[in-house]
Amino acid sequence: MIAATLEWGAKHVVFESDNSNDPAKFYVVSTPAHKTYPNKKLPFKNAVAMSMGKQEDMNKRTIISTLMH
């Protein structure tokens, strides 16, 4: 998994798979930043996993944060 931030105002963005027989899956999220951040690749190896919630509340989950700070 790789995450990326795209600079505010980016006009042309291309996502491609390395292997057309096993195409990549892309999950895209757009949120207002109210600030310009540079384009940046955010490798999964740098992600932080945070366990939250409890199973007895049916709310146990792991949040994978790739946010840059």
Side-chain angles (χ1 to χ4, degrees):
M1 181 173 113
I2 296 174
T5 61
L6 300 175
E7 191 171 351
W8 180 30
K11 301 283 186 215
H12 183 76
V13 178
V14 177
F15 294 93
E16 296 178 330
S17 293
D18 290 334
N19 182 346
S20 61
N21 293 323
D22 185 21
K25 296 178 178 120
F26 299 98
Y27 178 75
V28 179
V29 177
S30 176
T31 60
H34 305 292
K35 182 177 176 182
T36 299
Y37 292 96
N39 295 336
K40 185 174 182 182
K41 185 177 178 180
L42 304 166
F44 188 69
K45 68 180 181 177
N46 296 344
V48 176
M50 298 173 283
S51 297
M52 299 186 163
K54 296 184 266 180
Q55 186 61 40
E56 54 267 21
D57 297 332
M58 302 292 285
N59 198 22
K60 185 176 179 180
R61 64 207 184 275
T62 301
I63 306 296
I64 306 294
S65 175
T66 56
L67 297 176
M68 56 184 205
H69 300 283

